[in-house]
């Protein structure tokens, strides 16, 4: 159990390197720490988390089908083709569940951690944010969902850079591992259609009604909803008011300083703001249903880039010291939130 506390404490302490000019020191520590995180996930004991035993069963099931059957989707399991094909390939190459977990952990970690370092002005802050909110929930438990979300990071980044073909390929790849990425289609359509900054905070405030009413029951009455989704109707709340409070604060920082970020000529600020806001709105609308947090967290993850980059810009302005202190408050919150998740009743990262 102590190793998980160590991960969050070290990640918090390493954030001081966000403020150093010693690039080699920063790169060395960041790389070594990320390799340690990948190994921690890849070499975890089977059964240490909620879903690893299920993934072992999925691996065995892949042996019952040919590559062609999997490619056509001609199998009964409710598993995306890309992930099933990966399982089949591992079996054909003589691998086992350990190879599976190492490969997925490596792919997810490399995609995420290189993305943070390349695109975040404060990469260690982004890393702590990610570890606190997503490591135990995704990398440890829902590995195919975690890999899909990592691909979504790069897809939207390329979209913000007007690299449409690459963005489309990465989005298609994300769908091969988890169908929750489909949420990007209506979300991006809304983001490009409605660019008014006032629309999104109003939408989030209206979404607070989800705390009092379970809208998932309405979704289940719609056509095309898989029958197995019914089992989630009786589950307890999957959201959290701490997530809402954090989301409101991040949105407020952008809203108050929107003109400053627009002056940077970087379109990722406005795009990430809208996507993040819609993720927060979904989190609140479906606050009472854990399964829908997969959709909201896929969008909410863009706060990992939005927040540090906003703080970086604001710490070069007149109120730099106020935003520096706010930066420290965020870091302390991430440390607290991450440590609170180390609880067998929540995520179960250990027995």
């Amino acid at each position: 159990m102590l190793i998980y506390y160590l991960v969050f404490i070290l990640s918090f302490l390493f954030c001081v390197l966000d403020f150093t000019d010693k690039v080699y020191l920063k790169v060395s520590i960041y790389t070594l720490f990320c390799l340690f995180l990948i190994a921690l996930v890849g070499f975890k004991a089977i059964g240490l988390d909620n879903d690893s035993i299920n993934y072992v069963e999925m691996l065995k099931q892949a042996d019952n089908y040919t590559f062609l059957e999997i490619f056509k989707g001609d199998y009964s399991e409710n598993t995306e083709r890309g992930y099933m094909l990966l399982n089949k390939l591992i079996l054909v190459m003589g691998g086992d569940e350990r190879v599976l977990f190492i490969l997925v952990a490596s792919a997810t970690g490399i995609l995420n951690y290189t993305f943070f370092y390349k695109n975040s002005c404060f990469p260690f802050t982004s890393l702590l944010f990610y570890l606190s909110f997503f490591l135990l929930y995704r990398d440890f438990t829902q590995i195919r969902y975690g890999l899909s979300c990592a691909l979504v990071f790069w897809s939207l980044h390329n979209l913000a850079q007007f690299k449409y073909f690459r963005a489309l390929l990465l989005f298609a790849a994300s769908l091969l591992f988890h169908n929750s990425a489909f949420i990007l289609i209506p979300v991006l359509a809304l983001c490009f259609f409605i660019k008014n900054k006032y629309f999104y905070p109003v939408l989030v405030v209206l979404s607070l009604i989800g705390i009092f009413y379970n809208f998932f029951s309405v979704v289940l009455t719609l056509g095309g909803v898989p029958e197995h989704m019914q089992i989630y109707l009786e589950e307890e709340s999957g959201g959290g008011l701490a997530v809402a409070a954090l989301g409101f604060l991040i949105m407020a920082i952008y809203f108050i300083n929107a003109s400053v970020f627009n002056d940077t000529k970087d379109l990722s600020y406005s795009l990430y703001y809208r996507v993040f806001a819609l993720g927060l709105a979904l989190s609140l609308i479906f606050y009472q249903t854990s399964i829908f947090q997969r959709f909201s967290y896929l969008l909410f993850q863009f706060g990992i880039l939005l927040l540090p980059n906003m703080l970086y810009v604001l710490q070069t302005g007149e109120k730099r010291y106020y935003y520096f202190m706010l930066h420290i408050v965020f870091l302390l919150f991430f440390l607290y939130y991450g440590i609170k998740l180390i609880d067998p009743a929540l995520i179960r990262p250990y027995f």
Side-chain angles (χ1 to χ4, degrees):
M1 181 176 76
L2 291 177
I3 193 169
Y4 301 101
Y5 290 105
L6 180 64
V7 164
F8 291 114
I9 292 171
L10 283 177
S11 182
F12 172 77
L13 294 176
F14 287 152
C15 287
V16 70
L17 295 173
D18 277 336
F19 304 97
T20 183
D21 295 328
K22 297 179 180 179
V23 178
Y24 291 111
L25 177 64
K26 181 186 295 187
V27 171
S28 299
I29 292 179
Y30 187 87
T31 301
L32 290 173
F33 187 56
C34 290
L35 288 174
F36 166 72
L37 293 172
I38 290 173
L40 186 64
V41 176
F43 289 95
K44 65 184 177 184
I46 307 300
L48 192 65
D49 63 296
N50 294 338
D51 290 345
S52 57
I53 295 176
N54 294 332
Y55 286 120
V56 173
E57 290 301 315
M58 289 182 194
L59 181 66
K60 294 177 181 178
Q61 291 166 2
D63 203 27
N64 298 326
Y65 306 100
T66 65
F67 278 107
L68 183 59
E69 288 174 329
I70 295 174
F71 183 77
K72 290 181 177 180
D74 189 16
Y75 53 90
S76 58
E77 287 75 15
N78 184 40
T79 306
E80 289 78 4
R81 299 180 192 184
Y83 183 76
M84 187 66 89
L85 283 170
L86 175 62
N87 279 254
K88 183 65 177 180
L89 182 61
I90 289 173
L91 290 173
V92 170
M93 298 296 292
D96 56 10
E97 61 269 13
R98 180 55 57 202
V99 174
L100 169 67
F101 287 123
I102 292 173
L103 280 177
V104 175
S106 299
T108 304
I110 291 170
L111 286 168
N112 282 327
Y113 304 145
T114 55
F115 182 76
F116 301 154
Y117 195 87
K118 181 178 180 180
N119 300 295
S120 175
C121 297
F122 291 130
F124 283 98
T125 298
S126 291
L127 184 61
L128 178 60
F129 191 164
Y130 177 78
L131 297 182
S132 299
F133 276 81
F134 303 98
L135 179 74
L136 300 180
Y137 177 62
R138 294 201 309 214
D139 293 25
F140 266 88
T141 56
Q142 302 179 26
I143 61 173
R144 57 197 173 106
Y145 168 64
L147 179 54
S148 178
C149 290
L151 289 163
V152 167
F153 264 134
W154 284 100
S155 178
L156 257 69
H157 171 71
N158 279 276
L159 183 64
Q161 301 297 317
F162 307 107
K163 299 175 182 178
Y164 301 119
F165 182 70
R166 188 180 300 177
L168 183 61
L169 285 179
L170 288 164
F171 174 63
S174 69
L175 290 174
L176 289 175
F177 289 97
H178 206 278
N179 54 25
S180 62
F182 272 115
I183 195 67
L184 280 181
I185 297 176
V187 163
L188 289 178
L190 187 62
C191 286
F192 283 101
F193 181 71
I194 302 178
K195 298 182 179 180
N196 188 302
K197 71 173 185 177
Y198 296 97
F199 170 80
Y200 295 94
V202 171
L203 178 64
V204 170
V205 171
L206 293 176
S207 300
L208 288 169
I209 192 175
I211 297 176
F212 309 100
Y213 179 79
N214 190 349
F215 282 91
F216 189 58
S217 58
V218 178
V219 173
L220 290 177
T221 65
L222 303 176
V225 178
E227 293 183 5
H228 74 274
M229 295 289 281
Q230 293 280 349
I231 64 174
Y232 297 106
L233 183 59
E234 304 300 325
E235 288 196 355
E236 297 179 355
S237 168
L241 293 180
V243 173
L246 174 66
F248 275 115
L249 183 54
I250 292 176
M251 288 185 64
I253 294 173
Y254 178 89
F255 187 85
I256 294 170
N257 301 282
S259 60
V260 176
F261 306 128
N262 290 337
D263 289 341
T264 65
K265 308 299 182 183
D266 187 345
L267 293 180
S268 65
Y269 285 99
S270 58
L271 178 60
Y272 290 173
Y273 166 74
R274 290 175 229 149
V275 171
F276 177 82
L278 291 173
L280 178 58
L282 278 177
S283 178
L284 292 170
I285 292 174
F286 298 103
Y287 174 84
Q288 301 186 42
T289 309
S290 63
I291 189 65
F292 250 84
Q293 299 308 311
R294 294 180 183 177
F295 298 102
S296 60
Y297 266 41
L298 185 145
L299 306 175
F300 192 81
Q301 69 178 3
F302 285 93
I304 297 173
L305 265 291
L306 179 63
L307 175 62
N309 288 350
M310 289 195 304
L311 290 174
Y312 179 83
V313 172
L314 295 172
Q315 287 177 39
T316 61
E318 295 180 358
K319 298 180 180 180
R320 62 177 65 92
Y321 298 111
Y322 294 106
Y323 284 105
F324 174 76
M325 294 304 298
L326 183 59
H327 191 160
I328 301 302
V329 171
F330 274 116
L331 296 179
L332 289 170
F333 172 75
F334 294 148
L335 175 63
Y336 168 79
Y337 192 85
I339 287 178
K340 287 288 288 183
L341 282 184
I342 304 176
D343 186 324
L346 295 176
I347 304 296
R348 277 180 42 202
Y350 59 88
F351 283 124

